[in-house]
Amino acid sequence: MKYIYFHIDEFNRDAITASVLKNEFKKHGWVLIYGNRVTSHILKYFEWAFDAVILPKPTFINSFFGYEKISSLKSKYVMLYTENIGIIANDKFPKMVLKGALDEEFMSGRTACVERVDAFCFWGAQVAGLVKKTYASIENKCFIVGHPRHDLKALNNKNSKKNTVGLISRYCTINDYYSKSPIEQIFDRYTKKQMYEYYNNYNGDYLKWERRGQFPEEDLYLEAVDIKNTILLIISLNERGYKVSFKIHPREKTSTWIEVFKKHNLKVEIVNSDIPFTHWAQDKLAIVGPPSTSFYDCLMIGTRPISISNLYSEREQFVSKLYEENNKLMPYIDSPNTIDDLILLLDKPLNLSSKVLKVLRLEADYPNCKDSAMKIGNVLKTILKESSKGYLRMALGRQLYSLISFLFNFSIGIGRRLKILGASHSANFLLTPSTIKHINRMVKK
């Protein structure tokens, strides 16, 4: 029997993958143990007690253990990416793709984390191919597993469409989940003076920072325009008898939207953040919002995505080249110029062109991603061999880890109930027994 640690970095995004893998790994007689940002502080003392550790990116190895301990790590390390599509997969920007796959440290010349990885589980051939072509030394560690959140077990197969329009937000500068004000974000940007995604002092290679956050004052403009159009769209949909379901971005503060919709008497259902995106979006007439990698998800489950990016003609001047507006899928996404034109699209049948299918195949391994969990299991089988470790010692280590993990999560929960500690959100959720049960029940058996 093998014991595998899986890090859930953001609950709203990663819990469904954890549930799918737990279900799949049972077939191999393996036990999947969930981790979060709380337990990451404990893992450094007990990583030897696990046969494998699955993390989202190589940089997490340094974050969890520190460079000085990397050479002494005992477990097998597998990278299963939480995001591997969109602008960070666009091979028109190869440096961005490599930085997204291998992290800033590696591209800056600090190679220890990448060298310690036993397997990289990329979603599609576009990213995997570029990594293998550029760094032949890790080619045999690279695997294509597809988009894990589109494994067949992760979907709920709702085929009939309701008279409901789904809206998504992406307004993290204006409505930050840590309540960090826009003024503070602008202040941080221009006092830290970060200009590069990475800079390699050894060979002079660099990538200029041109993604969200580089110019927060321009991000504020984009978000303000999109929020205005979202509000106008909700009013128009309400007047025309459509139901509106609103899924808030995991890095936004939910209470802000609840208060605004209640104050202005707008008829909007705010979706429980625990519900996986694909479960929510599958029976909607369309999903509408600013450019997002969520549009990939929509097309793969048969729901029309509609972008609001063209509802204001001057918006484009604030879009930098490495924003999601410029990913390979966006040229094929409906982006109407008026709200009336947008509403006309709601009843239009969805057909995926060969060009769209090519983008989805190269970036997310669609439609073969339906077997993503099985492919991840096969990757683990290739690197997990019978070891001479002390099984009793490992078992005792896991028991001690579980006890300390429970106490840590329990103590923080008490602190939050007493309002000594901050409120819970997707990134700092707690692994309580009820949360673990909820994750286990997310997928079909």
Side-chain angles (χ1 to χ4, degrees):
M1 183 174 285
K2 304 294 185 183
Y3 291 83
I4 300 163
Y5 178 99
F6 181 85
H7 178 74
I8 303 173
D9 198 51
E10 291 191 10
F11 183 90
N12 298 346
R13 177 191 62 200
D14 305 330
I16 185 66
T17 302
S19 187
V20 169
L21 292 181
K22 192 176 189 75
N23 189 274
E24 176 67 25
F25 288 177
K26 285 179 182 178
K27 299 176 184 177
H28 301 281
W30 304 339
V31 177
L32 190 72
I33 297 174
Y34 308 139
N36 62 357
R37 296 190 186 189
V38 174
T39 63
S40 67
H41 300 292
I42 309 164
L43 182 64
K44 67 172 72 175
Y45 304 106
F46 295 99
E47 66 87 29
W48 51 267
F50 296 93
D51 295 284
V53 174
I54 302 177
L55 300 175
K57 295 179 74 177
T59 190
F60 280 72
I61 296 177
N62 176 43
S63 299
F64 287 5
F65 310 113
Y67 279 114
E68 68 281 358
K69 291 189 176 181
I70 291 177
S71 61
S72 63
L73 297 177
K74 304 298 184 185
S75 188
K76 298 290 186 180
Y77 283 84
V78 177
M79 300 301 110
L80 178 59
Y81 294 82
T82 55
E83 291 296 342
N84 213 205
I85 52 176
I87 201 65
I88 60 171
N90 190 338
D91 56 2
K92 289 182 181 178
F93 311 111
K95 290 185 178 183
M96 185 73 257
V97 175
L98 293 171
K99 187 261 180 179
L102 302 175
D103 289 323
E104 177 186 357
E105 292 99 326
F106 180 81
M107 300 302 293
S108 300
R110 300 187 297 276
T111 62
C113 291
V114 165
E115 289 172 352
R116 184 58 189 80
V117 173
D118 296 282
F120 297 90
C121 293
F122 297 115
W123 291 7
Q126 194 157 275
V127 174
L130 183 59
V131 171
K132 290 192 285 187
K133 178 182 176 182
T134 310
Y135 298 105
S137 62
I138 61 173
E139 181 178 2
N140 64 341
K141 297 181 179 182
C142 296
F143 302 87
I144 297 170
V145 300
H147 192 327
R149 298 193 290 275
H150 283 268
D151 184 276
L152 202 57
K153 292 186 181 67
L155 306 177
N156 57 12
N157 297 316
K158 295 178 183 176
N159 295 317
S160 60
K161 299 293 183 183
K162 297 179 179 178
N163 190 40
T164 303
V165 179
L167 301 185
I168 57 174
S169 68
R170 195 179 179 222
Y171 311 126
C172 311
T173 308
I174 288 178
N175 187 33
D176 176 68
Y177 65 174
Y178 283 120
S179 299
K180 191 174 183 180
S181 74
I183 292 174
E184 189 177 358
Q185 293 180 58
I186 294 172
F187 186 89
D188 283 352
R189 163 64 187 87
Y190 289 103
T191 53
K192 292 178 181 176
K193 298 181 180 179
Q194 182 180 348
M195 298 299 296
Y196 302 99
E197 294 271 1
Y198 69 83
Y199 193 101
N200 191 320
N201 289 312
Y202 301 100
N203 61 17
D205 184 33
Y206 67 89
L207 175 63
K208 187 178 177 183
W209 186 16
E210 296 181 87
R211 288 198 295 167
R212 288 277 187 143
Q214 168 68 336
F215 301 110
E217 70 279 15
E218 296 185 3
D219 293 344
L220 281 169
Y221 178 87
L222 289 172
E223 291 184 13
V225 167
D226 289 343
I227 289 171
K228 179 200 78 170
N229 286 320
T230 296
I231 293 168
L232 293 176
L233 176 60
I234 290 172
I235 293 170
S236 184
L237 290 169
N238 281 175
E239 290 174 348
R240 300 179 195 219
Y242 288 99
K243 295 179 181 178
V244 178
S245 182
F246 193 70
K247 191 154 181 64
I248 300 167
H249 193 280
R251 293 195 180 101
E252 284 190 61
K253 191 175 181 181
T254 302
S255 60
T256 302
W257 288 108
I258 294 173
E259 292 166 8
V260 167
F261 290 148
K262 183 177 181 181
K263 181 178 180 180
H264 295 280
N265 198 31
L266 292 175
K267 297 176 183 178
V268 181
E269 172 208 31
I270 293 183
V271 183
N272 188 324
S273 60
D274 291 355
I275 298 175
F277 180 87
T278 51
H279 289 195
W280 166 72
Q282 210 158 356
D283 64 354
K284 302 299 180 288
L285 287 175
I287 300 299
V288 185
S292 168
T293 54
S294 295
F295 291 170
Y296 286 76
D297 297 287
C298 294
L299 292 174
M300 288 193 283
I301 60 173
T303 299
R304 176 180 297 281
I306 303 174
S307 172
I308 62 173
S309 56
N310 285 343
L311 292 180
Y312 187 69
S313 60
E314 296 181 27
R315 181 186 185 280
E316 187 177 356
Q317 66 183 300
F318 295 100
V319 175
S320 292
K321 71 177 183 179
L322 294 180
Y323 282 24
E324 285 303 332
E325 281 82 346
N326 295 316
N327 69 45
K328 283 195 170 184
L329 191 63
M330 281 306 298
Y332 312 110
I333 299 299
D334 290 314
S335 302
N337 296 317
T338 69
I339 288 177
D340 286 342
D341 288 342
L342 188 156
I343 291 175
L344 288 175
L345 291 169
L346 297 179
D347 296 314
K348 186 178 176 183
L350 176 67
N351 295 301
L352 302 186
S353 69
S354 60
K355 291 181 178 179
V356 168
L357 290 170
K358 181 180 179 181
V359 173
L360 298 178
R361 175 175 56 82
L362 289 176
E363 295 191 32
D365 199 35
Y366 177 83
N368 296 327
C369 52
K370 67 181 184 296
D371 296 320
S372 178
M374 181 186 72
K375 293 172 184 173
I376 296 165
N378 289 338
V379 170
L380 281 161
K381 283 171 67 176
T382 66
I383 65 171
L384 287 177
K385 304 189 185 298
E386 292 300 323
S387 72
S388 57
K389 294 179 184 178
Y391 291 113
L392 179 59
R393 180 173 178 266
M394 290 176 68
L396 291 173
R398 287 191 298 271
Q399 290 296 321
L400 186 55
Y401 162 83
S402 297
L403 175 61
I404 297 173
S405 172
F406 171 78
L407 292 174
F408 263 63
N409 281 278
F410 179 78
S411 300
I412 293 171
I414 294 294
R416 287 178 182 168
R417 282 194 287 274
L418 296 175
K419 297 185 177 180
I420 299 170
L421 300 175
S424 176
H425 53 69
S426 181
N428 69 2
F429 76 100
L430 298 178
L431 274 171
T432 62
S434 60
T435 302
I436 292 170
K437 288 179 182 178
H438 175 60
I439 297 172
N440 291 343
R441 292 194 296 262
M442 278 185 168
V443 303
K444 300 180 297 182
K445 301 299 182 184

